[in-house]
């Protein structure tokens, strides 16, 4: 499945970078200072980072799914918190949230396909 998953995960990665830019720009617009020290990111983030040390596709997808679901929770919280109070931040949170939900959906579909392929192969044995 690598040929299918790899380009799509690269696209997800580009979109994640886009999310970071949207958030950073909004923080600056609001007069805040974004955290620019990478070592602080892992300390402050409420989603953990797991390095993809296991190259097996199922392990990568499961790790990724965990990350997407955590991001969904955070952007949902941001949307709830800003709803009716800060329209621009709310719109941004909803826009990002929708992309994270698409990411989650893509990964869930691959994991379903993988499980199905495994069952089919077992039937052949
Ligand atoms: Fe993201
Ligand atoms: Fe994502």
């Amino acid at each position: 499945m690598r040929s299918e998953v790899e380009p799509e995960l690269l696209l997800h990665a580009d979109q994640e970078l886009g999310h970071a830019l949207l958030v950073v720009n909004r923080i600056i617009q609001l007069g805040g200072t974004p955290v620019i020290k990478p070592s602080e990111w892992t300390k402050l983030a409420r989603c953990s980072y797991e390095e993809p040390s296991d190259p097996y596709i199922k392990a990568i997808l499961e790790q990724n799914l965990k990350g997407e679901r955590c991001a969904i929770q955070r952007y949902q919280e941001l949307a709830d918190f800003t709803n009716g109070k800060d329209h621009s931040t709310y719109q941004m949170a909803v826009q990002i949230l929708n992309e994270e939900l698409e990411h989650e959906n893509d990964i869930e579909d691959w994991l379903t396909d993988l499980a199905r392929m495994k069952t089919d192969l077992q039937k052949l044995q």
Side-chain angles (χ1 to χ4, degrees):
M1 289 172 73
R2 182 188 282 204
S3 58
E4 189 194 333
V5 171
E6 196 179 308
E8 194 62 31
L9 284 184
L10 284 171
L11 185 73
H12 286 192
D14 274 347
Q15 289 173 327
E16 305 302 2
L17 180 61
H19 299 165
L21 290 172
L22 285 170
V23 170
V24 159
N25 285 331
R26 189 64 193 135
I27 289 170
I28 292 168
Q29 276 173 1
L30 290 167
T33 308
V35 177
I36 52 170
K37 235 175 132 185
S39 59
E40 290 293 307
W41 297 343
T42 44
K43 279 186 221 156
L44 293 166
R46 283 160 61 214
C47 295
S48 61
Y49 172 74
E50 290 174 28
E51 65 280 356
S53 51
D54 184 344
Y56 183 44
I57 194 83
K58 191 167 178 275
I60 288 177
L61 290 175
E62 279 166 355
Q63 259 182 337
N64 227 286
L65 188 59
K66 228 170 108 185
E68 298 297 354
R69 285 181 175 160
C70 187
I72 287 166
Q73 279 182 343
R74 300 284 88 83
Y75 288 113
Q76 184 66 65
E77 284 168 5
L78 187 59
D80 291 343
F81 184 70
T82 52
N83 191 12
K85 288 179 238 161
D86 173 351
H87 191 67
S88 293
T89 307
Y90 172 74
Q91 286 287 310
M92 180 200 73
V94 169
Q95 184 197 330
I96 297 174
L97 182 57
N98 283 328
E99 281 189 4
E100 303 297 14
L101 288 166
E102 276 175 34
H103 294 170
E104 181 192 39
N105 205 33
D106 289 342
I107 298 165
E108 282 172 346
D109 285 350
W110 286 320
L111 284 168
T112 305
D113 288 351
L114 205 63
R116 208 173 280 154
M117 281 192 316
K118 208 173 157 189
T119 315
D120 289 348
L121 280 173
Q122 276 163 352
K123 277 185 206 156
L124 291 173
Q125 282 170 355

